[in-house]
Amino acid sequence: MSISLKQVTLCRDQQPVLHNLTLDLTEQRIALVGNNGSGKSSLARLLNGLLQADQGDIEVHRKFPARGVAQMADTVGFIFQNPDHQLIFPTVAEELAFGLRNQGLSSKDSTLNARQFLLDHNRIEWADRPVHSLSEGQKQLVCIFSVLILKPELIILDEPFSALDLPTRMGLMKWLNQLPQQILMISHDFEFIRDFDRVIWLKDGHVHMDGPPKIVIDQYLAQCREEPSIC
Amino acid sequence: MPWLHAVEYLEKIQEIPLNDKKLVQISLYAALIAAMGLVPPIPFATGIPITLQTLGVMLAGVMLGPWRGFLAVMLFVFVVALGLPVLSGGRGGLGVFAGPTAGFILGFPVAALVTGLVAQLLGKLNLLVAASIGAFVGGILVLYLFGITGFKLITGREWMESITIMMVYMPGDLVKVIATALIAQSVYRAMPSAVAIR
Amino acid sequence: MLSLYLPQQSWLHRLPAGLKLLTLALTSIALYQFQTMNFMVPVLIATLAIYLSMGKTGLHQLKVIRPLILLFVFLFLFQGLTQDWTGAFLLLGRMLILIWLAHLITLTTRIQQMLDVVTPLFSPLKWIGMRPDSVAFSVILLIRFVPVLLLMLEQLQQAWQSRKGGRQQWKLATPLLINAIRMSDQVSDALAARGGIPRKNTGDTLER
């Protein structure tokens, strides 16, 4: 079960964003770090088909993102930075049921499954609550739920904890850690990614460093201290 | 003088004077209507394409209340006149106000006002129903009154002819009434405080 | 910045906005008053000549009537077949002239110039507690936030697509509306922290 990129190049507005990237990602917990503009968000979006590579081949858990985002949706769950930009439906149960309906379940079954899911996760009281009555951390958890309920094999998270306080981040991270899925996370929360299996440092669209968290993170922090810049 | 009565009423319900916060709210909603104009039409249930912008205009009175909704759409129309290509289809500038659909565009703010007022007056009813009726009265009856009058003036056609010609747009617009009501209800269920008329 | 203004240096650009608007108003009154080919045709030719004087970009702008072509053809035929062809030509000519002339003003007048002309008209707003320069500020705010809202819509679309949302994207209107309302709260707080809306229209300009 892995992600493989072969000589992938991506251009946006005629500017190269990712250069000839070749990676094999088989580890369970992978982190992506790098400055803004390094290409990490683009790389993440290549994996579920939101962006299409200009050159190269990508295979994700035996599926091909080149065929479009819709057919990747069952395999790859994507969590974005801002929960307010992901929550589409009025109540929590409806939000969870949305993905199920798109997978082909009937309205009735989707709602039943959504409620069951909440029950299994000790949050049945959230079912009919308006999404905007929840706290930021709770909203992000709903986003995770709405992706998890679709039983993906890979979960990608793009700086999912930016607006959250430390206890909430820890709570969500602990929650994510017990998941069986492969997780790829873009994050600056070095506290958490120290426990990951692999960290990839992207710089200007290239892999600058790739290895165990201990090494890569320390190097990255060192460089940020030596050459602070505003990206 | 009805004008003074209106001003007194607005003062009484504290809609005037416009403080900074209300002004920002009006400006941002107008920006949203403009943004919606830059997005291509989207299929609604039956496949009939609707522009998000039309929905935004109808919902202005429901979301911000009749008065601020009116001002928000006025600001939008004003900005179109200034030269921003934010009327759906990338249209804008004074040319739009010289064409046969000028009446509709000038009628937008009033449509928003009436939609909001009617939906507000029907406060006792379920929001879906109140918003549907409001959207029908404001977005169809009132808006078409403006639109048909404008059409008649610009093209010199007779009333009956103008009405018949403009009726072509009706089926699509009835769809937008339904969409408006559904979204109003959806917004209310997601965040009740976002709907000013409740 | 999104605007229909064509940055050029033509004689029209140099004319004051008020004069252009007045000319448009007078021309349109005249076209309704003098419904003869002897008046309409020269005016039409003059209009086309003005566009020609603006070069290739100018001529390209004549396409502004494109969305209306079908309607124009219909009205032209309708008038011609039910009444008279002269009337049909007059109707078509008048509509074309007015749309083209009005568009010409938009092409050759900066937004700030337009605002300067109409702001005096807003002085009665004082009576309902609005400062006349609030209008200019609202325009600035609108222009600044359209791209932000579009970005937000794009993000919502990505979230929608990532869960195989399908074609009924109109449902994104709900989160879009809610986020816009919430954003307005954040922006007014930020503004209050900066001392509120600027008193005079200084500092912020519409052109960069």
Side-chain angles (χ1 to χ4, degrees):
Chain A
M1 290 295 201
S2 74
I3 304 168
S4 99
L5 291 103
K6 289 196 176 70
Q7 297 175 305
V8 170
T9 300
L10 176 71
C11 294
R12 291 245 259 190
D13 302 325
Q14 275 122 24
Q15 295 281 65
V17 169
L18 293 171
H19 299 266
N20 220 2
L21 230 52
T22 299
L23 284 168
D24 243 312
L25 307 169
T26 54
E27 292 79 0
Q28 268 292 92
R29 297 282 180 273
I30 304 173
L32 218 51
V33 302
N35 298 338
N36 288 349
S38 56
K40 29 184 228 295
S41 283
S42 300
L43 176 54
R45 281 162 177 74
L46 280 174
L47 299 179
N48 83 331
L50 277 174
L51 285 177
Q52 292 295 322
D54 292 298
Q55 278 167 46
D57 301 308
I58 307 176
E59 191 178 334
V60 176
H61 289 245
R62 283 162 296 145
K63 284 227 174 113
F64 300 96
R67 300 207 181 123
V69 55
Q71 50 94 38
M72 295 303 293
D74 298 328
T75 311
V76 182
F78 204 109
I79 310 283
F80 300 81
Q81 190 166 12
N82 189 341
D84 288 331
H85 298 176
Q86 292 171 83
L87 296 170
I88 295 163
F89 287 82
T91 63
V92 175
E94 284 169 277
E95 187 69 32
L96 264 57
F98 174 56
L100 290 172
R101 273 209 322 281
N102 297 337
Q103 278 184 337
L105 255 62
S106 72
S107 206
K108 185 159 151 241
D109 286 335
S110 309
T111 315
L112 277 168
N113 285 20
R115 298 190 103 93
Q116 186 60 48
F117 186 96
L118 286 169
L119 193 62
D120 294 340
H121 290 85
N122 292 317
R123 285 184 174 72
I124 188 63
E125 67 278 4
W126 283 9
D128 297 312
R129 281 185 63 182
V131 292
H132 290 278
S133 69
L134 300 172
S135 71
E136 291 307 303
Q138 290 171 330
K139 281 191 214 178
Q140 195 60 302
L141 188 59
V142 171
C143 291
I144 295 173
F145 281 173
S146 52
V147 144
L148 216 53
I149 198 174
L150 305 177
K151 303 207 178 77
E153 292 173 19
L154 164 69
I155 299 179
I156 303 178
L157 304 109
D158 185 353
E159 302 200 52
F161 304 144
S162 298
L164 308 175
D165 62 27
L166 190 54
T168 310
R169 286 185 215 207
M170 289 189 141
L172 284 171
M173 202 59 231
K174 183 164 164 218
W175 210 94
L176 285 169
N177 270 329
Q178 19 140 9
L179 293 175
Q181 282 91 350
Q182 184 184 26
I183 291 182
L184 175 75
M185 185 157 105
I186 300 175
S187 177
H188 296 128
D189 281 316
F190 300 122
E191 271 281 315
F192 304 135
I193 58 183
R194 270 187 210 284
D195 296 327
F196 273 36
D197 301 315
R198 180 174 172 185
V199 177
I200 299 171
W201 172 4
L202 273 188
K203 196 172 177 180
D204 299 320
H206 299 276
V207 174
H208 185 75
M209 219 180 197
D210 181 357
K214 250 189 180 357
I215 301 173
V216 181
I217 293 176
D218 289 342
Q219 284 288 312
Y220 181 65
L221 281 171
Q223 181 167 88
C224 287
R225 281 195 203 103
E226 275 167 48
E227 298 165 39
S229 64
I230 299 173
C231 298
Chain B
M1 267 177 283
W3 166 249
L4 284 174
H5 287 317
V7 173
E8 266 170 37
Y9 172 70
L10 287 169
E11 271 171 351
K12 185 165 143 214
I13 57 172
Q14 292 181 319
E15 285 290 337
I16 324 179
L18 273 183
N19 60 16
D20 286 3
K21 189 161 170 156
K22 293 193 189 108
L23 194 73
V24 169
Q25 197 187 42
I26 289 166
S27 306
L28 242 76
Y29 196 94
L32 182 64
I33 298 177
M36 285 166 158
L38 293 167
V39 167
I42 288 170
F44 182 67
T46 52
I48 299 181
I50 50 173
T51 59
L52 282 182
Q53 184 166 80
T54 336
L55 298 178
V57 168
M58 309 262 272
L59 284 162
V62 172
M63 300 277 297
L64 300 183
W67 173 240
R68 272 181 255 169
F70 170 76
L71 291 176
V73 181
M74 273 286 251
L75 178 61
F76 164 72
V77 170
F78 180 64
V79 143
V80 169
L82 286 181
L84 266 68
V86 287
L87 190 63
S88 64
R91 295 173 294 153
L94 289 175
V96 159
F97 296 88
T101 55
F104 283 96
I105 297 154
L106 289 169
F108 277 163
V110 184
L113 175 72
V114 171
T115 303
L117 263 178
V118 170
Q120 192 173 52
L121 288 170
L122 296 174
K124 294 249 166 63
L125 295 176
N126 164 288
L127 182 60
L128 190 65
V129 176
S132 306
I133 299 175
F136 183 76
V137 175
I140 306 274
L141 296 180
V142 169
L143 187 60
Y144 271 68
L145 179 65
F146 276 80
I148 293 173
T149 308
F151 184 84
K152 178 194 188 308
L153 290 172
I154 304 256
T155 64
R157 300 260 64 79
E158 293 306 310
W159 282 109
M160 278 320 294
E161 290 165 343
S162 301
I163 293 172
T164 322
I165 294 170
M166 288 290 113
M167 281 298 152
V168 162
Y169 296 101
M170 186 67 86
D173 284 353
L174 285 173
V175 158
K176 95 187 172 204
V177 167
I178 301 169
T180 302
L182 288 174
I183 292 172
Q185 189 190 49
S186 183
V187 168
Y188 184 67
R189 288 193 306 121
M191 193 165 98
S193 57
V195 178
I197 57 165
R198 286 287 153 120
Chain C
M1 181 187 66
L2 55 123
S3 164
L4 291 166
Y5 173 72
L6 272 186
Q8 270 180 10
Q9 273 312 313
S10 75
W11 59 280
L12 264 179
H13 282 75
R14 287 191 285 270
L15 281 179
L19 182 63
K20 287 186 271 195
L21 287 168
L22 189 63
T23 311
L24 176 67
L26 291 174
T27 311
S28 77
I29 294 172
L31 280 168
Y32 278 90
Q33 273 299 103
F34 308 118
Q35 303 220 19
T36 66
M37 294 294 267
N38 286 344
F39 182 68
M40 190 275 281
V41 174
V43 176
L44 181 61
I45 295 177
T47 305
L48 290 168
I50 298 177
Y51 272 88
L52 193 64
S53 81
M54 303 216 326
K56 216 157 147 213
T57 33
L59 281 177
H60 182 79
Q61 286 298 324
L62 288 170
K63 293 214 185 101
V64 70
I65 52 133
R66 201 168 1 149
L68 295 166
I69 287 182
L70 273 178
L71 185 59
F72 282 0
V73 167
F74 171 76
L75 288 168
F76 178 76
L77 291 174
F78 189 84
Q79 172 102 8
L81 292 169
T82 62
Q83 285 170 31
D84 63 311
W85 291 102
T86 315
F89 275 107
L90 281 173
L91 172 66
L92 185 64
R94 180 179 75 214
M95 290 194 297
L96 286 172
I97 291 170
L98 289 178
I99 294 176
W100 276 332
L101 282 180
H103 192 56
L104 211 44
I105 298 183
T106 297
L107 291 172
T108 61
T109 315
R110 305 186 108 101
I111 293 179
Q112 188 62 54
Q113 284 176 290
M114 290 288 275
L115 267 175
D116 290 338
V117 167
V118 294
T119 303
L121 298 170
F122 292 132
S123 29
L125 285 176
K126 287 196 292 251
W127 311 129
I128 57 163
M130 262 179 78
R131 287 202 321 273
D133 54 10
S134 304
V135 180
F137 182 76
S138 304
V139 174
I140 291 172
L141 212 54
L142 186 152
I143 294 175
R144 291 262 167 83
F145 277 93
V146 167
V148 175
L149 292 165
L150 282 173
L151 186 63
M152 187 205 293
L153 178 58
E154 197 187 309
Q155 290 169 351
L156 283 166
Q157 282 174 321
Q158 287 188 353
W160 173 274
Q161 287 167 347
S162 299
R163 280 185 285 159
K164 217 164 36 178
R167 297 175 71 220
Q168 304 293 320
Q169 276 195 23
W170 61 273
K171 295 186 183 172
L172 290 176
T174 304
L176 199 57
L177 286 163
I178 290 175
N179 284 328
I181 300 280
R182 298 172 96 226
M183 196 184 276
S184 81
D185 287 336
Q186 291 164 5
V187 172
S188 25
D189 286 342
L191 201 59
R194 270 176 47 184
I197 294 176
R199 294 284 118 178
K200 272 222 173 82
N201 197 8
T202 55
D204 285 320
T205 53
L206 284 161
E207 262 80 46
R208 260 150 257 173

